[in-house]
Amino acid sequence: MTIATTSPVTGEVLKQFDELSPEELEDKLQRAAVAAASYRLTKHEQRAEWLSRAADVLEADSATVSELITTEIGKTLRSATDEVAKCVASLRFYAENGPRFLRDDEGAAAAAVGAQRTYVTRQPLGVVLAVMPWNFPLWQAMRFAAPALTAGNVGVLKHASNVPQTALYMEQLFREAGFPDDVFQTLLISSGRVEQVLRDGRVAAATLTGSEPAGRSVAAIAGDEIKRVVLELGGSDPFIVMPSTNLERAATVAVKARTLNNGQSCVNAKRFFVHADVYDAFLDLFTAKMGGLVVGDPMDDSTDIGPLATESGRDDVEAYVDDAVAKGATVVVGGKRPDGPGWFYPPTVITGVTGDMRMYGEEVFGPVAQVWPVASLQEAVDLANEHPYGLGSNLWTEDQSERDTFIRDIQSGMAFVNGNTSSYPEIPFGGIKRSGYGRELSDVGMREFMNAKTVWIGDPAR
Ligand code: NAP
């Protein structure tokens, strides 16, 4: 795949980059290893200071970086600005909480194990490879980088081939913030060279956010090398609407949940299960709101949905919809690509999806919502759980027992009640089943790439 910025609005290649040569890649890996040896010894408070400075630098750069993100992937400028703000907040969160997260855990049972003292001390693993997707080009990379650098790890980023400028900005940001040289480096390489980097003895672990095939490949290599890996893969989150809820509010959030990031988020709600008692009313509200969204130039303030990020991405979405329609599904709104340049696709609502349609058990990465009537919460949960993915999930209800049943029975890494799944630096993020394993964010995510070393100290006199 060519490493280039290509405008999703016009299809024009705006800037192309050469891949690293074998010698350049070797040089960068060696630099990372050297940096790791000394960075692990830096004081937690010093790292917090650098993180805090990185937040200030990014905040000052917000306007240009947001524009860059919109240029590279076509998300609305409003949404890109929110993404940058989230990265700033995340850097500040780790700056404030990192030293506390990194404290040793004192063991209470020293006498029981014949020791004077026991404790667990957490130490960085070293160089961690991050393979990241384009859909939140800054946030995906930041939610790896901020906790990893807090922990004392060193990062090497292989970003998606269509966001090279955002990837290079990340490296520049940490340098400008004052982090020691080579603590965070961007590797402009194709996905075919990930194996070489992951097998390299200087690389201790990896994290991948992306598709199932990419995850499978990286997990297999990491397994072969016995290296720690975190996988954040696809999702087809359910959004369940029960009669007790405020339908107007649920429908408004449902639109946001499906169309955030032009419908290209792993935690977009993709399947809407609506109780039969309120199905018609919800469908009317939801359809009207989806149909009313403004599709257009992502730089324009009045635009709700920009183009999809890649031409092949739009082709995929179109193929899912065509397949469903050919097998008997009904398009209630949208479902037809507009004429003209750019990779636009309209907000689309589909009913009558059945198990033989491709979209039933896969992930549609664009603004296409399936709406299903269900007779009960149990039916909704059962249908939701049939999917191979288990990332986020959403329930709308005012009934406490429905809420408890949902939290207990839904097969997902995250359960959101009366809201839509989102990532926050303060709480863990991740999935189960084919959505991957491991967690990002909070102290839990930071500890994925740390050695929890058990220390036992005996009495020398005995
Ligand atoms: P993708 O094709 O898997 O690409 C993601 C990253 O993996 C890119 O850097 C890509 O490099 C690299 N890559 C691709 N194939 C690889 C392989 N065989 N070995 C090693 N690296 C490989 O995914 P995408 O289509 O860009 O992103 C969309 C997917 O990511 C969706 O399924 C979405 O749900 C998922 N996602 C998950 C989360 C989460 O947190 N769970 C968040 C966001 C997105 P190239 O660009 O050079 O191919």
Side-chain angles (χ1 to χ4, degrees):
M1 206 168 160
T2 326
I3 300 178
T5 300
T6 304
S7 167
V9 176
T10 62
E12 187 193 348
V13 177
L14 301 175
K15 199 163 182 180
Q16 205 159 329
F17 293 80
D18 289 332
E19 269 203 49
L20 293 181
S21 68
E23 295 73 26
E24 286 166 333
L25 179 57
E26 164 56 30
D27 180 55
K28 282 191 170 258
L29 291 177
Q30 185 53 27
R31 283 167 179 276
V34 170
S38 53
Y39 184 62
R40 66 184 287 275
L41 303 174
T42 53
K43 292 212 169 347
H44 302 161
E45 291 69 21
Q46 171 65 73
R47 290 179 210 156
E49 219 177 289
W50 287 322
L51 287 160
S52 178
R53 229 179 293 152
D56 295 344
V57 173
L58 180 55
E59 197 166 46
D61 289 349
S62 173
T64 36
V65 178
S66 304
E67 267 193 35
L68 176 59
I69 292 173
T70 297
T71 303
E72 292 207 297
I73 65 152
K75 77 196 295 177
T76 62
L77 186 58
R78 236 181 313 137
S79 150
T81 307
D82 289 347
E83 179 175 339
V84 174
K86 193 167 177 169
C87 292
V88 171
S90 171
L91 285 162
R92 295 210 166 113
F93 171 78
Y94 280 101
E96 279 160 28
N97 295 287
R100 179 168 63 85
F101 289 164
L102 291 166
R103 273 187 214 140
D104 296 338
D105 287 344
E106 209 59 38
V113 296
Q116 242 181 1
R117 182 186 171 205
T118 69
Y119 62 99
V120 173
T121 188
R122 289 191 173 72
Q123 300 178 332
L125 293 185
V127 180
V128 183
L129 165 67
V131 183
M132 289 292 142
W134 47 263
N135 62 340
F136 290 86
L138 198 72
W139 173 234
Q140 294 293 351
M142 187 60 78
R143 72 193 208 188
F144 154 70
L149 299 189
T150 302
N153 287 306
V154 159
V156 284
L157 169 68
K158 182 271 178 276
H159 216 325
S161 300
N162 55 335
V163 290
Q165 297 191 66
T166 310
L168 290 170
Y169 173 77
M170 285 285 289
E171 182 179 292
Q172 178 194 319
L173 169 67
F174 290 115
R175 201 181 318 120
E176 264 185 45
F179 278 92
D181 284 349
D182 309 317
V183 158
F184 188 93
Q185 297 182 84
T186 290
L187 310 177
L188 289 184
I189 55 170
S190 61
S191 59
R193 295 168 78 188
V194 166
E195 175 162 6
Q196 179 202 337
V197 177
L198 183 48
R199 287 199 187 278
D200 192 290
R202 292 164 291 193
V203 173
T207 179
L208 177 136
T209 300
S211 61
E212 211 183 310
R216 193 173 289 118
S217 163
V218 164
I221 298 161
D224 193 40
E225 294 288 336
I226 317 191
K227 289 183 180 178
R228 186 101 51 98
V229 67
V230 167
L231 297 180
E232 297 286 2
L233 309 179
S236 189
D237 289 6
F239 189 105
I240 302 172
V241 181
M242 297 305 288
S244 61
T245 202
N246 176 334
L247 277 194
E248 171 66 36
R249 169 104 185 106
T252 300
V253 177
V255 171
K256 181 178 159 209
R258 177 55 281 208
T259 59
L260 185 86
N261 215 44
N262 300 343
Q264 305 161 113
S265 167
C266 52
V267 289
N268 280 135
K270 292 168 186 136
R271 298 171 297 150
F272 296 79
F273 300 110
V274 185
H275 193 281
D277 290 356
V278 290
Y279 177 79
D280 289 340
F282 177 85
L283 185 61
D284 285 351
L285 279 170
F286 183 55
T287 305
K289 289 175 192 289
M290 286 285 277
L293 295 175
V294 178
V295 180
D297 180 353
M299 292 288 183
D300 191 326
D301 221 25
S302 61
T303 296
D304 297 306
I305 307 231
L308 299 190
T310 62
E311 187 169 22
S312 63
R314 197 228 343 229
D315 291 347
D316 288 347
V317 169
E318 196 168 44
Y320 277 114
V321 173
D322 291 351
D323 168 75
V325 170
K327 291 171 182 164
T330 303
V331 171
V332 189
V333 71
K336 194 174 173 314
R337 72 154 81 173
D339 294 331
W343 303 318
F344 294 92
Y345 197 84
T348 298
V349 177
I350 295 194
T351 58
V353 172
T354 50
D356 57 336
M357 298 172 189
R358 285 182 54 222
M359 67 167 64
Y360 178 82
E362 297 179 24
E363 177 187 33
V364 184
F365 220 52
V368 177
Q370 310 171 26
V371 188
W372 297 64
V374 290
S376 63
L377 176 64
Q378 194 56 52
E379 186 186 357
V381 169
D382 289 347
L383 276 167
N385 287 346
E386 273 181 23
H387 205 282
Y389 290 142
L391 190 56
S393 57
N394 313 267
L395 170 69
W396 285 75
T397 186
E398 297 204 355
D399 182 314
Q400 184 156 344
S401 74
E402 286 175 354
R403 189 186 73 191
D404 295 345
T405 302
F406 168 77
I407 293 170
R408 186 191 63 202
D409 293 344
I410 197 75
Q411 294 170 1
S412 66
M414 298 168 285
F416 279 64
V417 179
N418 301 329
N420 61 298
T421 314
S422 191
S423 54
Y424 302 90
E426 296 84 357
I427 55 179
F429 182 98
I432 59 166
K433 297 161 71 177
R434 290 202 181 177
S435 292
Y437 45 75
R439 290 292 178 268
E440 291 185 292
L441 298 172
S442 74
D443 55 331
V444 179
M446 191 198 71
R447 289 174 177 183
E448 292 282 0
F449 296 116
M450 299 199 82
N451 172 21
K453 185 182 278 180
T454 301
V455 181
W456 184 103
I457 300 173
D459 180 351
R462 283 206 276 144

